[in-house]
Amino acid sequence: MGKILTIVRLWLVATAVALSLSAFTTTGHVTPRTVLNRLSASSSFLTRTEHWFNQTLDHFSPYNHDKFQQRYYEFHDYFRIPDGPIFLKICGEGPCNGISNDYLGVLAKKFGAAIVSLEHRYYGKSSPFKSLTTNNLRYLSSKQALFDLAVFRQYYQDSLNLKLNKKVENPWFFFGVSYPGALSAWFRLKFPHLTCGSLASSAVVLAVYNFTEFDQQIGESAGPECKAALQETNRLVEQRFATNKKEVKALFGAGELEIDGDFFYFLADAAVIAFQYGNPDTVCSPLVQAKNAGNDLVDAYAKYVKDYYIGSFGTNVQTYNQKHLKNTTPGEDSADRLWWFQVCSEVAYFQVAPANDSMRSSKVDTKYHLDLCKNVFGEGVYPDVDSTNIYYGGTKIAGSKIVFTNGSQDPWRHASKQISSPDMPSFLITCHNCGHGTDLRGCPQSHLNIEGDAHNCSSPDAVHKVRQQLVEKMDLWLSECQATTDV
C-alpha cells in the first residue's frame, strides 16, 4: 500500500525535485502484515522534498468544509515540458517519505514524464487530527482516499497550466503496488476521465473475509521440503507453548506479546515475509538443513526470526501488540493502528489458518481477527467486505485500461485480478523469488533495488517480459489519450 501536493516551481528550469514512498509500495514504512516494502538510504529516493496541499476532510458532506494539510512530492528531472505525461505514484498504508527510485524512474525517463506522489490521508504527516480515536478515524477509507487523489490531480494540473501558461491537460497515468495498486485500479474505475490508464501492481482488489488462499500459496511457494519443515516447526512450537508459553515467547524475542494470538500471528508473518518479498531461501534453507540434520527446528526458526525478521528486515515486534494498536497518539508507528482500522472496517484480508494443511497456528482464526477489531476499536467496527466488493467489483472489476501484474510467489495475488480481459490485461511474473510488486521493485525487496534492478530475480527475463508488455500498453493508452486532447 497516498500523499499530498503542492506545485511545480519555476518552470523555466526543466527539472525539479521530489520523492515518493515505500509500498510496497510497497516502502517508506511498512508493517509486515500489510503489503508493503521497506526503503532505506537517501539514494533510494528520486526526491524527498516535501510539498503541501489543502485537502478536503470529507468529500461526501455538503456541510463539512474542514480541510487538512496533505503531503506530496514531485520530480521533474525527466519531464518533457510542456506536454509530457504525469505519473502519479500512489502512497499507501504508511508514511510517504519521498518518491522511491524504483522502475518507475526508468519509465519516467523513457516517456519524458514528471512524477508526483501523494501521501495517503491520516498516514505519515498527513493526519487531519491530533488524536486517532476510533471516532476520529471515520474519514479514513479508500473512498475518501480516491477523492483525495482526484482533487489533488485537478489541483496539480491547474497549477501546472498556470505556471506554463497553457490550457491543454497533460496525459496522466497512475501507479500503485499492493493496497495502492488497488487504489490505482479503483481510481481508473471511478474516475476514467482523469487518467489515461493505471498500473495495478500486486493490487489487492478483492476484499476477503477468510483469506485461506494466502497460506495455501505460502505452502505452494515453499515447496514440499520447506513446507513440511515449516509445518513441523509450527507443531513443535505449539507443543512447547502449551507447557511454557513465557519461555517460548522469550525465545523468539516476543515476550511483550501477552495475547497468544498476537504471538502466533507474529510467527506466521515471519515466514510469510520471506516469500512475499522475494527471499524464500532465508527461511527455507536453515529449516530444511536443521530438519535433515536432526537439529532442533524451533531453535532454528527462532534464530531466523531474530536474525532476519527482527534483525536485517527490521520488524518491530510491537506491530503485533494490541496494546500498541490501541495507542491513539499520532506518531511514526501510527500506521499499524491506521491500517488495522482499514482492515477492520473495509477490506478484512483476514489471514486465517485453513482447516487443513495450514502454514500457521489454528489460533489465528476468524475469531482472533474479530476480537482484535473489537478490542482495538470498540463495538461496531467490522469489515463489510460484501459492500466493498459490490462497490468496486472485486476481481470482476469492470474497468478499462488497467494493467494488473503479480509475482508467482506472492500470497497476496489471490486477492488480485489474475485473469486477463480485453482491456485489462493481467500478467504473472513467474520465478523462484518473484514476489510482491516485483515489476517495479525487482527481487528481493528487503532493501530497495535501484531502478527496480531485476538481475537478482531467478528469472530476469520473466520480469523484463512483463515490463515490456507494460510499456507497450502505456505507449498505446498515452497515445490514445494524447490524440483525444489534440482534437
Side-chain angles (χ1 to χ4, degrees), residues 224-290:
E225 264 197 313
C226 182
K227 178 182 177 181
L230 278 168
Q231 289 180 320
E232 185 174 346
T233 301
N234 277 328
R235 181 177 59 80
L236 292 171
V237 169
E238 289 194 315
Q239 276 182 2
R240 228 185 261 189
F241 193 84
T243 57
N244 195 336
K245 63 172 67 177
K246 186 175 180 180
E247 181 183 87
V248 174
K249 288 179 181 180
L251 178 65
F252 285 89
E256 66 263 45
L257 299 182
E258 297 176 5
I259 298 174
D260 293 350
D262 293 350
F263 173 70
F264 283 106
Y265 202 136
F266 162 70
L267 285 194
D269 256 8
V272 163
I273 231 67
F275 300 97
Q276 179 171 317
Y277 291 120
N279 235 329
D281 296 336
T282 57
V283 64
C284 285
S285 294
L287 285 185
V288 171
Q289 287 171 12

Side-chain angles (χ1 to χ4, degrees), residues 15 20 47 70 76 108 120 129 182 198 200 205 232 235 255 257 293 316 320 397 402 405 411 432 446 448 474-475:
T15 61
S20 151
T47 177
Q70 199 170 12
H76 300 131
H120 196 294
F129 298 101
S198 289
V205 292
E232 185 174 346
R235 181 177 59 80
L257 299 182
N316 186 345
Y320 298 87
I397 181 173
I402 306 169
T405 58
H432 174 66
S446 56
L448 179 84
M474 289 178 62
D475 195 38

Side-chain angles (χ1 to χ4, degrees), residues 207-431:
V208 191
Y209 194 64
N210 287 327
F211 196 9
T212 54
E213 295 88 351
F214 190 92
D215 264 26
Q216 290 165 359
Q217 181 61 56
I218 295 298
E220 182 181 319
S221 296
E225 264 197 313
C226 182
K227 178 182 177 181
L230 278 168
Q231 289 180 320
E232 185 174 346
T233 301
N234 277 328
R235 181 177 59 80
L236 292 171
V237 169
E238 289 194 315
Q239 276 182 2
R240 228 185 261 189
F241 193 84
T243 57
N244 195 336
K245 63 172 67 177
K246 186 175 180 180
E247 181 183 87
V248 174
K249 288 179 181 180
L251 178 65
F252 285 89
E256 66 263 45
L257 299 182
E258 297 176 5
I259 298 174
D260 293 350
D262 293 350
F263 173 70
F264 283 106
Y265 202 136
F266 162 70
L267 285 194
D269 256 8
V272 163
I273 231 67
F275 300 97
Q276 179 171 317
Y277 291 120
N279 235 329
D281 296 336
T282 57
V283 64
C284 285
S285 294
L287 285 185
V288 171
Q289 287 171 12
K291 182 175 170 63
N292 291 340
N295 295 332
D296 191 312
L297 278 172
V298 177
D299 286 345
Y301 192 55
K303 186 177 188 311
Y304 158 78
V305 170
K306 289 185 288 189
D307 289 354
Y308 178 75
Y309 192 46
I310 297 176
S312 60
F313 193 80
T315 299
N316 186 345
V317 178
Q318 283 294 100
T319 294
Y320 298 87
N321 193 334
Q322 290 185 40
K323 282 186 176 179
H324 162 65
L325 297 179
K326 295 172 81 168
N327 183 6
T328 59
T329 303
E332 279 300 309
D333 296 327
S334 296
D336 301 326
R337 174 175 173 82
L338 296 171
W339 178 242
W340 267 106
F341 179 79
Q342 292 195 256
V343 165
C344 290
S345 63
E346 195 171 19
V347 291
Y349 304 139
F350 290 166
Q351 296 154 43
V352 303
N356 300 303
D357 209 24
S358 177
M359 300 299 295
R360 69 181 62 213
S361 169
S362 59
K363 290 181 172 61
V364 186
D365 57 7
T366 306
K367 184 178 184 301
Y368 162 77
H369 289 85
L370 292 176
D371 286 348
L372 183 152
C373 293
K374 181 179 178 181
N375 180 37
V376 174
F377 302 108
E379 297 280 0
V381 177
Y382 66 95
D384 189 353
V385 296
D386 289 341
S387 293
T388 301
N389 289 328
I390 287 171
Y391 187 74
Y392 293 122
T395 55
K396 296 180 181 179
I397 181 173
S400 65
K401 297 184 178 180
I402 306 169
V403 175
F404 288 87
T405 58
N406 287 284
S408 60
Q409 304 298 76
D410 183 13
W412 291 100
R413 70 184 177 94
H414 298 283
S416 184
K417 186 180 188 297
Q418 297 190 88
I419 299 174
S420 284
S421 50
D423 212 16
M424 288 187 294
S426 181
F427 303 123
L428 183 66
I429 310 172
T430 303
C431 75

